[in-house]
Amino acid sequence: MKTFGSEIDEWRQRGEVIDIHAPVERRFEAAAITAEIQATSNRIAVFHNVRGASMPVATNLYGSRRRLHALVGVQGHGDTLCTSFDRHVQRCLAPTAPFVSWDANAGERPATTLSRLPVLTYHEKDAGPYLTAGIVIARDPETGIHNLSFHRAMVVSDTELRISIGPRHDLAALQRAAEEGGRALEVALLVGVSSGLFLAACTSLPRDSDELALAASIDGAPVAMRKSPVLGLDVPIAAEIVIEGRILANERRPEAPFGEWMGYYVEEKQSHVFEVVGVDRAPEPLFHALVCGSNEDLRPLELATSARIFNALRRQFDGILDVVCFPTMLCTAVRIRQAYEGHARQVLLAAVTAHFMYSKICIVVDEDVDVHDLSDVLWAYATRARPDERTQVLGNLPGFFRDPHKDHWGRLALDATIHGGAGRSSVANGFPAATGSTWRRFLATRQIQRDAEPASR
């Protein structure tokens, strides 16, 4: 059975983990060290001595595209994060085998409290310590389908969290239905889970699809489940920390400010109240903390969003090769193999509407462009597109949901493909377009090598 801890151990054997045994403060210091590691080696960090904590803290497991390639099973040349992840999504939409297993004899786990968890404080103006890698698992009472989703949770006391639920999340719909019936919504918050559960929680599936099926596909085995001790909720056995509780009906209390993923503080607002009724932990737990706005936050979001847009486009068009979403820029780049005149423009307009929140800017490029590299994408626009002819501004389209001033309304659509469609050749540094991107990367590498050589040579 995959666990958060066992996966960290596997990466440790590959030299991907930095173990930090020196004392570290949970207020600011652990987050600052994580940010430094992400900017240098980008390895996983495990803090073994967090002051006042009874368990170690791990960060940055998901901060590397290379690690994500391994976790979702990218199969080599021609396969991408999008295509590999989409295979898991398609497999889970109509599962042909059981995707959960039950253990009635899972055994009791040690009880603990919120105050004994090493919950970090990340930024100077944060209203308090926050659970940032916590996954809410909820079960639709009518269909029995499970939903997994991320929601930041501010720790107020041992019995209260205040959580931010976006209005477009499936959890928001479940909470509204419970509230309209005058009921609290019983849920569990999971901290420290397998990569399958984590990546499934990043993904938005149709309401009639169970996200535990996606987790099982990624992990390669059914999700082992148990009943929680207090409320009898469905929870994964492998979760390091399980927090049981109720999202209260008709109750909102102040939450935030908090440093969020786009590089700004979210202002104080009225958020939902999570009444904590029990906390249990694994015998030797490993706590997962995530720095919002860091690579560990953005890479999984990039993966899930890109795969969703990729799937929407490939259902309509041939020649869709790859999609990359850059979440902090609300920008989506699509790589295509042009088949006819106007192909790129059709794809571009469809991409604009494929995901309203993360496609404020959409760019379509040819197959020789590296869509993971924004410099390459903008190179294509600068050298292949007249701005007065290949740029379109689409007005009054709503975008990201947390946007009180409508700063994210409207779309910018950029066609950066070779003008003329399929069959037209181009030249990049004296080489055909099909090898242009590779050649540019080769020249850049040679320049780096030359710069690194001693001056005496």
Side-chain angles (χ1 to χ4, degrees):
M1 180 172 58
K2 277 190 178 182
T3 67
F4 182 60
S6 69
E7 292 189 84
I8 298 288
D9 287 339
E10 289 179 12
W11 288 109
R12 183 179 284 108
Q13 293 173 10
R14 304 185 199 183
E16 291 276 340
V17 176
I18 297 177
D19 289 292
I20 300 166
H21 295 277
V24 174
E25 297 290 342
R26 68 174 81 178
R27 182 177 169 85
F28 307 143
E29 189 174 21
I33 294 171
T34 298
E36 178 64 23
I37 290 171
Q38 289 174 328
T40 51
S41 70
N42 203 22
R43 286 191 283 174
I44 300 161
V46 179
F47 300 97
H48 292 269
N49 189 0
V50 179
R51 293 188 188 276
S54 59
M55 63 191 72
V57 175
T59 67
N60 202 40
L61 170 58
Y62 304 99
S64 157
R65 284 196 187 101
R66 180 168 47 81
R67 289 195 289 273
L68 286 175
H69 272 74
L71 292 171
V72 303
V74 176
Q75 296 176 356
H77 181 71
D79 202 9
T80 69
L81 273 173
C82 261
T83 55
S84 180
F85 194 73
D86 186 61
R87 283 195 296 273
H88 292 295
V89 170
Q90 297 308 311
R91 193 178 299 140
C92 84
L93 293 179
T96 57
F99 54 84
V100 296
S101 61
W102 291 91
D103 188 349
N105 302 309
E108 292 187 6
R109 298 185 359 149
T112 187
T113 61
L114 289 180
S115 56
R116 290 184 59 80
L117 301 180
V119 186
L120 304 187
T121 303
Y122 293 88
H123 310 99
E124 179 185 6
K125 297 180 182 179
D126 287 356
Y130 269 83
L131 293 163
T132 53
I135 295 170
V136 174
I137 180 169
R139 185 173 178 271
D140 189 316
E142 295 183 0
T143 65
I145 290 173
H146 298 90
N147 175 258
L148 302 169
S149 54
F150 285 96
H151 306 275
R152 69 173 187 266
M154 185 177 79
V155 177
V156 177
S157 68
D158 276 344
T159 59
E160 182 181 338
L161 298 169
R162 296 180 191 168
I163 66 171
S164 175
I165 304 176
R168 298 180 192 174
H169 282 275
D170 289 341
L171 182 66
L174 293 175
Q175 192 277 329
R176 281 195 297 270
E179 191 168 68
E180 288 168 1
R183 306 183 311 274
L185 180 66
E186 295 184 346
V187 300
L189 194 149
L190 317 172
V191 181
V193 298
S194 70
S195 54
L197 286 163
F198 187 93
L199 295 175
C202 296
T203 309
S204 179
L205 296 178
R207 287 287 299 277
D208 60 353
S209 297
D210 197 310
E211 285 163 358
L212 292 180
L214 178 56
S217 178
I218 297 169
D219 283 342
V223 180
M225 302 288 285
R226 66 182 174 95
K227 292 294 184 180
S228 65
V230 180
L231 297 177
L233 305 174
D234 300 350
V235 295
I237 292 174
E240 304 285 319
I241 309 292
V242 175
I243 303 169
E244 297 180 72
R246 304 178 180 94
I247 300 175
L248 301 182
N250 302 306
E251 186 69 51
R252 309 289 188 273
R253 294 173 190 167
E255 179 264 326
F258 177 70
E260 262 281 13
W261 59 270
M262 291 190 74
Y264 296 93
Y265 281 100
V266 176
E267 297 177 355
E268 180 183 297
K269 64 170 192 161
Q270 297 294 309
S271 289
H272 292 82
V273 177
F274 184 115
E275 178 187 63
V276 177
V277 299
V279 184
D280 67 67
R281 61 174 180 80
E284 296 181 3
L286 181 62
F287 188 86
H288 187 193
L290 183 152
V291 179
C292 286
S294 72
N295 284 339
E296 187 174 24
D297 187 12
L298 300 179
R299 292 292 174 261
L301 178 60
E302 170 190 309
L303 168 61
T305 305
S306 301
R308 175 174 169 178
I309 297 171
F310 172 82
N311 189 44
L313 295 178
R314 78 179 182 89
R315 289 199 305 266
Q316 301 179 65
F317 306 102
D318 292 330
I320 305 300
L321 302 179
D322 203 1
V323 175
V324 174
C325 174
F326 301 90
T328 54
M329 302 178 191
L330 301 179
C331 174
T332 296
V334 183
R335 184 166 68 97
I336 70 169
R337 180 181 293 117
Q338 290 194 73
Y340 52 86
E341 183 79 27
H343 187 188
R345 180 171 175 80
Q346 286 183 325
V347 171
L348 184 61
L349 294 177
V352 164
T353 58
H355 199 308
F356 279 108
M357 286 203 293
Y358 296 106
S359 296
K360 184 177 182 178
I361 304 169
C362 282
I363 309 174
V364 175
V365 298
D366 290 295
E367 59 189 297
D368 65 310
V369 177
D370 180 3
V371 284
H372 291 276
D373 181 355
L374 264 181
S375 295
D376 216 34
V377 171
L378 292 177
W379 170 88
Y381 182 69
T383 60
R384 298 178 178 181
R386 281 184 53 169
D388 58 341
E389 292 183 353
R390 309 287 288 283
T391 304
Q392 188 170 1
V393 177
L394 306 174
N396 276 332
L397 288 174
F400 193 75
F401 69 89
R402 192 169 55 242
D403 187 22
H405 305 296
K406 295 187 177 181
D407 293 327
H408 302 310
W409 281 54
R411 296 292 186 278
L412 178 63
L414 307 176
D415 179 356
T417 58
I418 298 168
H419 186 60
R424 175 169 172 172
S425 63
S426 69
V427 175
N429 291 320
F431 282 74
T435 59
S437 184
T438 302
W439 177 241
R440 290 195 302 278
R441 289 196 293 273
F442 170 76
L443 290 179
T445 301
R446 293 296 298 157
Q447 183 62 49
I448 291 169
Q449 290 173 346
R450 285 196 297 270
D451 292 345
E453 291 173 354
S456 59
R457 295 185 59 192

